[in-house]
Structure formats: structure tokens, C-alpha cells
Amino acid sequence: MKTQILKSLQTIILLLLLTAFFSSTNTKAEEKQTHRQTKKTYIIHMDKSTMPATFSDHLNWFDSSLKSASATAEILYTYKHVVHGFSTRLTPQEAETLANQPGILSVTPELRYKLHTTRTPQFLGLDKSTTLLPASQQQSQVIIGVLDTGVWPELKSLDDTGLGPVPATWKGECEVGSNMNSSHCNRKLVGARFFSKGYESALGPVDLSTESKSARDDEGHGSHTLTTAAGSVVPEASFFGLASGTARGMAPQARVAVYKVCWLGGCFSSDIAAGIDKAIEDGVNVLSMSIGGSLLEYYRDIIAIGTFSATSHGILVSMSAGNGGPSSSTLSNVAPWITTVGAGTLDRDFPAYITLGNGKTYTGASLYSGKPLPDSPLPLVYAGNASNSSVGYLCLQDSLIPEKVSGKIVICERGGNPRVEKGLVVKLAGGAGMILANNEAYGEELVADPHLLPAASLGQKSSQILKSYVSSSVNPTAKIAFVGTHLEVQPSPVVAAFSSRGPNALTPKILKPDLIAPGVNILAGWTGAVGPTGLTADDRHVSFNIISGTSMSCPHVSGLAAIVKGAHPQWSPAAIRSALMTTAYTSYKNGAAIEDVATGQPATPFDYGAGHVNPVAALDPGLVYDADVEDYLGFFCALNYTSFQIKLAARRDFTCDPKREYRVEDFNYPSFAVALETASGIGGGSDAPHTVKYSRVLTNVGAPGTYKASVVPLGDSNVKIVVEPGTLSFAQEYEKKSYTVSFTYTSKPSGTSSFARLEWTDGKHRVASPIAFSWT
């Protein structure tokens, strides 16, 4: 008895000691976490013109200002171009104190942004148009800066064979870091930098066991976007034999520079700002950013502020529209100085045939390349019936009951977690295969994935039939057969379901996205650090991977912009964007409108903007809608920004002229977003006509000629459209002519929006602008 009591006392003492130890450990961890949470990163924008004469150096002024608010805070980055200022870690109280110091324009909390996650040159007509493309030596003078997860420098897509010396305008460098040295750069990869201070301040030091503290890409996304934009020609490229052929970026002769601002924990705005700042200083010509986040007023958005600075330095900025589709008003990166790119499909897919026990076969898509399933049918089960979770149908981690899925093909529904992760969940539970079923949000979109088990995605209609078959059959079975690569798929392109849509929630009178480009099942370079799925369990290694997203469409346009820049080095960023937009197409060769895969119906300018990019036509657009910094300052005035807000957004003193009328309707954009009020809102009764006028200026960038205007209604708009004058004659290059478009209406049509298309043509060129009407 005494022995038992003694053992019990020993056990209690041991538990108390362990509790005290873990309590102490947890307390220290909590204190560390609390300390990290109470301090956060802020970007400090200072008024350059108010530096006291007692300071001979701006850095000393920055430091003195910071020390007045916090004795312990240190400067993370100093900025020269994005803002005049610095970033630092502060408590909310310290940030408030600093904001009240003289010379401080703004103290902005850091935000975390996310990434918008071969056949393409042929699909875009680049392989048949070498005589129309600019000479390679012109293209090789263009440098594309890519802000992303870095680069895998050993890729064959970065071979510099045949390239001449690095352009004399280049001022960048190849920074040394873990697993990366200066010798990794060459005449193709001319620069590589990394920015981790914001990331490390928020989440702690970079874990060198999982990612490199350097410009080396351990995630894959950056290598893919960079080689899509400007990868060198690589023969016999493929993904496990799929999509085989010659891989090349859009501008294979252009140079690339890498700015690693995204890490496994995300992309932090202080790092992004530092990356943009250095890219401007280094001398890039095009900036490609497949990054997005929340919509903020332009003077509060560090990405909008930074890209405005880049544009003012003559740099075209291409950014992804986001992957929030098919819901409306889901766009990112809507500033009018940014080229906002949505996603469409190629004429290539990777079919998989799903045959049910009743003999019916349906076509899905897959990049699975491993051991196939047996020819004989396997039992089929719906994940929702093989889980104790209320959302078991999504195949989330540890949600499936092994006894109910072992040896079976499991139907998982899309959403909630990554598609490839669903396959891993099924595999770990003992499932033999997976069918990924689309719901209404994704429609008939088929995104192929490199699953770790035999799996295929299936469109919504077929998925509904599949689920009905399972629920009505006593012993449902299925087979999945993988058939490789299929070319010349029609119709193509179609707008991807995931591609974010308009209207523009921040500035409704600016139509976004600007255009679409290939973004579904894109083959491009990949990191050697992780497998094609990015999952820890994936130990495969590839030089090329196939992935989808507006992250993929953005670098297509970045590379195509580099081609136009090479052909017309004197053109402004706005002129290049205009050329890409006004030459885009909105219908197939048979005249039918480009489809939206989410609905199976004709897509609209809220889905594709000006249309699908047509790079060969963009080289000779005839006319362009140009804009400079003064136009953007006028745009801010049209938004009723104060001089202080303009200074935050544009880094310059500017006062709107009180005698001038500023209107967003008159901002010289290549598209029209027309907000119309209903009869009850315009007064005068339902039959009283109401007119809204928009003005534009066209610049001739071709031979002398006369252009005539025409308007093509797209559906029932009940709006009379008049262009005045209807004819514009240009006698010389760079001559400018203005015109006005009047929109007159009396009543609202059915629905909340309608569309039209304005075209100017001289018989050779077709300068087209989409018109989107929205009713309020």
C-alpha cells in the first residue's frame, strides 16, 4: 500500500514538474509570439521637400525620425522610387507617434499578398510570323523584371547561347545568397536579387532547410512565370512526355532579371516595394508581377504606388487579374497604369476517359503519368458517403474513412483545398483513383493536374450524371483511361472559369481586365527543389511543369510587351498596352463570340476586357491611345483626390486646376466602361432621354491615313451611340486627333449590363475598343 502511495506521489510530482516545464516553455513561446504580434511592419512615406537643413543626408533624417518614436526600432529597407522613405517594425503606439512627426506623409501597415497561381507561341501565331517580328537584336535590348518566388538558374530555358553583351543600360547585379552565387547569372539571366526582411520580420528567420535565403526558387512559381515570359528555346521539352515539343518563352531573345519577393509564407508589401524600387533603379523595361491582394484606394495601395512610379520611369507593368472567377467584381490590380491580364485556354488539352459501369463514357482531363489503373472496372464511391465530416465530399485532409475508400475510385468535389491535395488524401486513405467533380462555379472548365494517383477532372454536367449514377446504382463502378496530348481543340480560346471578372469595383468607369492571354495548362520551366504538385509527398523532379492561373497569363503579356517594346523602343507603356488591347480579338475565325467556359455562353468585356491578345497585329496597330504622367494626375483629380492624396500616390506636388473639369469619362483609356442611371435616377420621367459623353485622343503610329468609326452593338442595349467626328484623317506619324462618343438612352434593358464595340479602320488596321454598360 505504501509502495502504491509512493508511486502515486512520484507520478503527481512528475506531472507537476512536466506541467511547470511545458507551462514555462509555452509562456516563453507565447511571449515571443505576443511580442511578434504587437509589433508589425509599416512603410513610412516621408515628404522629401521638408527635410530640415540640419540633416545633410536623407538616411540620417529617416533614422532620427524613427528614433523619435522608438529607441529600439531598426530600418528594414529604404526606398528611393516607390516612396521616399523606409520600412520598419513598430508597435501601434509607436506608429501613431511617428505618424505625428513633422515630414511624415503616411505610416502604412504592411499587407501580405498571394501568388495568382510550348504550344503557346504557335497558338499566338508567333511561329509563322518571323518576318513581321522585330529583329532579335532589338528584342535582346529589352529587360523583363519578374517579381515572384525567384529562379532555378540551372534551367535550360536560361541558356544564353547566341545572345550578345548585356545591354549597357543595365545597372543590376546577381546577389549572393544561400545556394546562389554571381556565376549563376549570365547574358540571359542578367540579374537576381532577393528581399526577405519584411517576411522575416513577420514570420521569423527563413528556414534554410526548406527554402533558400537567396534568389533561388524553391517553390516553382517564379521559374514558371519567368520562362513563360522570356525563356530561351529548348528542343524536346515535355512534362513526362505530355505537351512535347520545343519550349520557348514569348520573347526568347529578351533578357530577364529576378526579384524574389515571395516566400513560402507569402509576399509581404515591404519586400514587394523594395523589389519594385530596385527594378526601377536597375533599369528594367517591363515589370511582370503575378501577385494580388485586396483592393485599396490607389494612394493607400503600395503596389499601385510602386507601379505608378515604375510607369513614370517608362516601365510597362503587367499584372495578373486574379483567380476569383467566375464571380463578378473579383479583380485585383485595377490601376489604369497597370496592364491587367485575365486567362484563357489554349487549343491543347490532356483528355482522360471515364467509363461507368453502365457503359457510358465521359471526357475529363489529367496530367497523371504513372502506373495506369487496371482495365477492369473498380468500385466507385462518393467521398461524401465515405466520411464522417459534413464536408467530406471535398476530400480534405484526414476526412476519408479508409475502410470505405480502399481500392476504390473516389469522387471528390472541387473547392476547399488544392486539387492535387485531394488526390493525395484519397491515396493516403487507400483509394485507387479519384475523379474531381466540378460544381456550378467551375462549369465545364477542365484543368489538368499532375496527380499522385490515377485521377481526372470532370466538367459540371458530366459530374452531375456521375453522382446520379453512384446514388442510383447498387454496385457503381468506373474505369479511367489516360490518352496523352490532344491538339487543335475547338473552340479555343475560351475564358477560364477561375479568371477574375469585372466590373471594376474600385473605379467602375475604367474597364478591367484589359485583355486575356493563355493561362490554362501552360508548360514552362520549374524548380528542382520540389515536385510538380508542390506537395511534400511528391518526390518527382521535372525541368518543365504544366500549371494554370492568371499567374500564367500575365507573363505571356509581359513577354509580348517586350516584343512590342523591342520593335518600338520609343513607345510609352500606355501606347504598348493600347496596341495590345486594340488589336485583340473577341471572336473565332467562324465569327462566333469567344465563350466563357463557366457558363458555355458568349463571354463579355467584363470577362475578357478588349479580347484575347494578338501579338503580331499589336506590332502594327495603326493608332494608339497614349497617356503620360499628366494624364494620370488628371485621373486622380477626376477621382476628387486632394493634393495630399495625389502626393501619396504619385510622389509629387500637384494641385488640380479649379477652373478645369476633370472626369474619368475623359481619361484616355483604350476601352469604355459606361455607368448609366435608371429612369428613376435621371429624372424627367421614363421617356426622357439622357446622354453621357466620353472623349478620347488617338495618336497615329503608322502611315498617313483616314480612319472611319463604326459601332457594333452586342445584344440589346437600348443605347444610341454616336461618334463625333466619324472620320479622322492623319497626315503624319504621332499626329493626335480627338473624338467624342455620346451614349443616349431612355430606358434600361433587361439585365444589369450590356455591351458594344467601337472600331476605327483605314481598310488595313482595325483599332477596336470594347464598351461595357452597367446600370445603376
Side-chain angles (χ1 to χ4, degrees):
M1 183 70 176
K2 289 181 180 179
T3 303
Q4 289 178 339
I5 294 172
L6 184 61
K7 285 184 177 180
S8 297
L9 287 171
Q10 288 174 332
T11 302
I12 292 170
I13 292 169
L14 179 61
L15 287 171
L16 288 171
L17 288 171
L18 287 171
T19 301
F21 171 78
F22 285 114
S23 176
S24 172
T25 303
N26 289 336
T27 300
K28 290 176 182 177
E30 287 167 5
E31 286 174 354
K32 183 177 179 182
Q33 183 66 22
T34 300
H35 175 71
R36 192 172 295 283
Q37 288 174 349
T38 54
K39 282 203 170 194
K40 64 182 298 183
T41 301
Y42 293 85
I43 297 174
I44 318 302
H45 189 176
M46 303 190 71
D47 189 345
K48 187 177 182 179
S49 64
T50 63
M51 184 181 78
T54 52
F55 295 100
S56 59
D57 184 273
H58 284 269
L59 295 180
N60 293 333
W61 181 38
F62 294 169
D63 187 63
S64 176
S65 300
L66 179 57
K67 290 295 186 284
S68 69
S70 172
T72 59
E74 297 180 352
I75 291 175
L76 298 177
Y77 295 108
T78 58
Y79 306 109
K80 291 174 60 179
H81 303 288
V82 173
V83 296
H84 184 75
F86 60 94
S87 52
T88 186
R89 297 280 292 180
L90 298 169
T91 65
Q93 294 79 9
E94 290 170 342
E96 185 177 354
T97 301
L98 183 59
N100 292 323
Q101 296 297 313
I104 304 293
L105 290 175
S106 67
V107 177
T108 306
E110 177 162 70
L111 295 176
R112 188 191 306 196
Y113 292 85
K114 59 185 179 180
L115 297 163
H116 288 151
T117 319
T118 65
R119 176 75 179 163
T120 312
Q122 293 93 324
F123 182 67
L124 294 174
L126 295 177
D127 62 324
K128 300 175 183 177
S129 311
T130 53
T131 57
L132 299 175
L133 297 177
S136 61
Q137 61 266 27
Q138 293 174 274
Q139 191 183 121
S140 70
Q141 295 302 303
V142 181
I143 302 168
I144 304 173
V146 182
L147 270 70
D148 213 296
T149 63
V151 63
W152 193 259
E154 292 82 5
L155 287 172
K156 292 180 180 179
S157 298
L158 297 173
D159 185 3
D160 65 355
T161 301
L163 288 174
V166 173
T169 56
W170 178 244
K171 303 180 184 68
E173 63 180 74
C174 200
E175 292 181 350
V176 175
S178 58
N179 305 314
M180 188 93 176
N181 57 58
S182 59
S183 66
H184 282 116
C185 289
N186 58 16
R187 289 170 299 175
K188 178 67 175 179
L189 178 62
V190 297
R193 298 183 185 273
F194 66 99
F195 305 87
S196 62
K197 293 176 182 177
Y199 168 65
E200 291 186 290
S201 294
L203 300 180
V206 170
D207 183 354
L208 297 180
S209 68
T210 57
E211 56 185 333
S212 304
K213 191 173 179 179
S214 69
R216 182 171 287 276
D217 180 14
D218 302 294
E219 199 271 358
H221 191 275
S223 297
H224 199 280
T225 57
L226 180 147
T227 54
T228 297
S232 299
V233 175
V234 181
E236 299 179 359
S238 73
F239 177 76
F240 295 120
L242 297 170
S244 59
T246 298
R248 48 159 285 186
M250 297 299 95
Q253 297 297 318
R255 320 299 177 119
V256 289
V258 172
Y259 300 86
K260 182 176 177 179
V261 298
C262 295
W263 304 79
L264 297 184
C267 318
F268 289 80
S269 56
S270 62
D271 295 330
I272 295 171
I276 297 174
D277 211 67
K278 275 297 182 184
I280 295 170
E281 191 173 304
D282 289 345
V284 305
N285 306 110
V286 176
L287 204 53
S288 186
M289 299 170 59
S290 295
I291 300 169
S294 302
L295 285 183
L296 300 170
E297 282 290 344
Y298 304 118
Y299 63 87
R300 298 182 185 275
D301 183 349
I302 194 62
I303 287 184
I305 293 169
T307 54
F308 181 91
S309 182
T311 301
S312 69
H313 282 81
I315 301 168
L316 181 136
V317 181
S318 170
M319 298 191 71
S320 47
N323 297 338
S327 300
S328 62
S329 297
T330 50
L331 294 161
S332 297
N333 307 316
V334 298
W337 50 89
I338 293 171
T339 301
T340 310
V341 188
T345 63
L346 291 172
D347 61 343
R348 175 185 69 194
D349 62 17
F350 307 95
Y353 298 137
I354 298 168
T355 303
L356 305 183
N358 59 13
K360 294 183 179 180
T361 298
Y362 303 92
T363 302
S366 180
L367 295 175
Y368 177 71
S369 58
K371 183 180 178 181
L373 290 171
D375 289 336
S376 55
L378 292 176
L380 185 63
V381 62
Y382 179 62
N385 299 329
S387 172
N388 291 323
S389 168
S390 60
V391 289
Y393 56 88
L394 293 175
C395 296
L396 304 177
Q397 287 187 20
D398 301 319
S399 64
L400 299 178
I401 301 171
E403 293 78 11
K404 293 188 176 183
V405 302
S406 180
K408 299 178 181 179
I409 294 174
V410 181
I411 302 169
C412 300
E413 299 219 25
R414 205 165 154 185
N417 60 335
R419 300 182 299 271
V420 290
E421 185 180 282
K422 297 175 187 290
L424 178 60
V425 170
V426 172
K427 182 177 181 179
L428 293 176
M434 179 186 72
I435 298 173
L436 186 60
N438 275 9
N439 55 30
E440 185 176 352
Y442 301 102
E444 298 308 305
E445 175 183 68
L446 295 178
V447 178
D449 292 302
H451 292 285
L452 292 171
L453 85 170
S457 61
L458 199 59
Q460 181 204 2
K461 294 176 183 177
S462 298
S463 294
Q464 287 289 90
I465 296 171
L466 175 71
K467 288 183 283 186
S468 296
Y469 164 72
V470 170
S471 63
S472 62
S473 300
V474 177
N475 183 30
T477 62
K479 297 190 296 183
I480 307 176
F482 306 96
V483 293
T485 306
H486 182 202
L487 300 179
E488 299 183 4
V489 174
Q490 297 301 330
S492 63
V494 295
V495 178
F498 59 75
S499 187
S500 289
R501 316 301 172 96
N504 181 341
L506 184 59
T507 312
K509 292 178 183 178
I510 297 293
L511 180 62
K512 291 283 182 170
D514 290 316
L515 72 174
I516 62 171
V520 178
N521 298 335
I522 303 302
L523 178 78
W526 194 247
T527 177
V530 297
T533 63
L535 299 173
T536 305
D538 190 354
D539 58 3
R540 297 172 294 176
H541 291 285
V542 295
S543 296
F544 292 90
N545 196 7
I546 297 173
I547 56 177
S548 302
T550 56
S551 279
M552 284 63 255
S553 55
C554 165
H556 277 88
V557 169
S558 305
L560 298 175
I563 294 176
V564 179
K565 179 71 174 178
H568 306 285
Q570 73 279 18
W571 284 10
S572 70
I576 295 172
R577 176 183 59 214
S578 174
L580 292 167
M581 289 176 63
T582 61
T583 58
Y585 62 90
T586 59
S587 59
Y588 304 119
K589 292 179 180 178
N590 63 5
I594 288 178
E595 291 183 9
D596 179 357
V597 74
T599 63
Q601 300 298 313
T604 76
F606 286 142
D607 307 321
Y608 55 59
H612 191 282
V613 67
N614 182 1
V616 176
L619 290 167
D620 181 22
L623 307 174
V624 296
Y625 294 88
D626 206 355
D628 58 20
V629 170
E630 291 298 316
D631 292 301
Y632 294 119
L633 294 175
F635 169 75
F636 292 141
C637 293
L639 296 179
N640 295 318
Y641 278 15
T642 64
S643 295
F644 177 72
Q645 290 168 336
I646 293 174
K647 191 165 190 174
L648 291 176
R651 280 199 62 196
R652 63 197 72 207
D653 292 309
F654 185 82
T655 301
C656 302
D657 184 350
K659 298 178 182 178
R660 177 182 167 187
E661 182 184 13
Y662 296 94
R663 304 191 317 144
V664 176
E665 290 91 335
D666 300 329
F667 179 67
N668 204 36
Y669 213 67
S671 57
F672 296 82
V674 185
L676 303 174
E677 296 179 352
T678 58
S680 60
I682 63 177
S686 60
D687 295 327
H690 187 70
T691 299
V692 176
K693 292 188 176 183
Y694 280 54
S695 65
R696 293 290 188 270
V697 178
L698 281 165
T699 301
N700 181 38
V701 292
T706 298
Y707 288 78
K708 293 185 178 181
S710 63
V711 176
V712 180
L714 304 176
D716 177 24
S717 67
N718 290 354
V719 179
K720 181 182 179 182
I721 305 171
V722 177
V723 182
E724 295 179 310
T727 301
L728 295 175
S729 294
F730 298 88
Q732 58 188 6
E733 191 176 19
Y734 299 119
E735 185 179 359
K736 296 179 182 291
K737 292 288 181 74
S738 62
Y739 69 92
T740 300
V741 186
S742 298
F743 304 100
T744 303
Y745 62 100
T746 56
S747 60
K748 175 185 174 183
S750 58
T752 58
S753 58
S754 55
F755 309 93
R757 188 171 175 86
L758 167 62
E759 294 183 351
W760 291 92
T761 181
D762 64 349
K764 176 185 177 183
H765 305 93
R766 191 175 301 277
V767 186
S769 295
I771 302 171
F773 300 107
S774 57
W775 298 81
T776 59

